[in-house]
Amino acid sequence: MNQPSIGVFDSGVGGLSVLRELRSALPGAAFRYVADSAHAPYGERSDGCVTERALRIARELRNQGATLLVVACNTATAVAVNTLRATWPDVPVVGIEPGIKPALALTRSGRVGVMATRATLASTRFAALLRAQCGDSKVNVHLQACDGLAAAIETGDLDSAAVRSAVERHCTALRERDVDTVVLGCTHYPFAAHHIRAAMGTSVTLVDTGAAVAREVVRRWKGEATSCAALTLQTTGEASVLRAMASRWLGAYQAVSTSRLHLD
Ligand code: DGL
């Protein structure tokens, strides 16, 4: 009944930055996206809560026919991807992680900043990533827990005073560390990249891992391309915000339906 599709989710609208890359890498695939906006921001919630939400949404996407899951959220990946993989061992589950490795390759000054949620930075998964990538490296990595930034972006007004002041606050800390490369370790942050670039200066390199996730999904997706690549957008919050963000950032799309999902 439901055609095989790729299920994508995030705490809210941030995962659209990953969905944009996925759709350009796989234009013939059907996608189902869930924004858990009623429960955002995940980065300021407990691990237990984020894991429970991730399980609930993944189950819903499986029921709707998703045969591959993309956790388009650094926080949910950090906290819950192992649980998702253990729950559905036969389903490919692709997560997203802050791009420490590309940042280490790109920095010229040897000073890198990582912008991410407090929960991502506090996770054991992130600590392991940092250990594995930084090992003997001489690079200085500054971790910036960007409280308030994802929540401000989540309103859909990307030029609001709240977005600008959160960017300014966190970028001031990064400027003081004189970093030349900044990892966008939360899928919401690419939507504030224009402000981050303005605050950090044009010579800064921003690292976003959405395209790397799309390449991994291309490797693992076994579904057929369809002539009518459907896109279904669902949210536990306000459908109007998701719709507005999708039409601004996803460009032209067909067969889209946006609906309110009740998942409590
Ligand atoms: N977009 C999410 C991430 O990549 C989470 C933001 C939030 O809900 O705190 O971490």
Side-chain angles (χ1 to χ4, degrees):
M1 177 195 67
N2 285 330
Q3 78 181 116
S5 55
I6 298 174
V8 184
F9 74 91
D10 176 46
S11 63
V13 297
L16 294 177
S17 65
V18 179
L19 184 59
R20 177 174 56 178
E21 303 292 344
L22 289 166
R23 293 183 75 243
S24 87
L26 285 165
F31 290 95
R32 290 182 171 274
Y33 182 87
V34 172
D36 196 14
S37 299
H39 301 90
Y42 281 0
E44 290 161 40
R45 291 187 179 272
S46 70
D47 289 5
C49 170
V50 172
T51 303
E52 194 203 310
R53 295 307 303 164
L55 281 168
R56 216 170 263 224
I57 293 164
R59 187 165 296 118
E60 173 67 21
L61 286 167
R62 290 284 294 140
N63 289 342
Q64 293 181 12
T67 53
L68 184 150
L69 296 172
V70 180
V71 187
C73 175
N74 290 265
T75 309
T77 300
V79 171
V81 78
N82 290 343
T83 307
L84 295 175
R85 289 180 177 144
T87 307
W88 291 281
D90 302 330
V91 178
V93 180
V94 177
I96 185 165
E97 286 181 332
I100 304 294
K101 188 176 180 181
L104 295 187
L106 287 164
T107 181
R108 296 167 311 279
S109 68
R111 285 184 294 278
V112 165
V114 180
M115 299 175 76
T117 68
R118 192 163 286 279
T120 295
L121 297 180
S123 67
T124 51
R125 195 178 174 87
F126 180 75
L129 174 73
L130 213 51
R131 255 196 321 276
Q133 297 300 335
C134 294
D136 307 325
S137 145
K138 300 266 180 294
V139 173
N140 197 301
V141 180
H142 173 74
L143 307 181
Q144 184 66 28
C146 294
D147 295 344
L149 182 53
I153 292 168
E154 190 58 30
T155 64
D157 181 354
L158 303 178
D159 297 316
S160 67
V163 170
R164 287 165 187 274
S165 77
V167 166
E168 190 44 42
R169 188 155 36 100
H170 299 303
C171 287
T172 299
L174 291 170
R175 275 198 311 270
E176 280 164 6
R177 300 303 197 294
D178 209 14
V179 303
D180 71 347
T181 306
V182 172
V183 175
L184 303 182
C186 165
T187 56
H188 281 69
Y189 303 166
F191 295 125
H194 53 307
H195 293 306
I196 295 170
R197 209 176 282 287
M200 295 302 301
T202 46
S203 63
V204 77
T205 305
L206 301 184
V207 178
D208 171 16
T209 42
V213 169
R215 286 194 294 277
E216 176 65 9
V217 172
V218 167
R219 274 193 288 278
R220 304 189 65 181
W221 171 241
K222 305 272 187 283
E224 295 296 315
T226 58
S227 54
C228 175
L231 171 61
T232 305
L233 301 171
Q234 302 162 90
T235 177
T236 57
E238 281 305 320
S240 57
V241 175
L242 181 60
R243 205 176 298 122
M245 283 289 284
S247 52
R248 177 163 172 193
W249 294 97
L250 298 183
Y253 47 76
Q254 43 177 321
V256 66
S257 69
T258 314
S259 57
R260 183 83 189 255
L261 188 65
H262 295 282
L263 270 186
D264 283 319

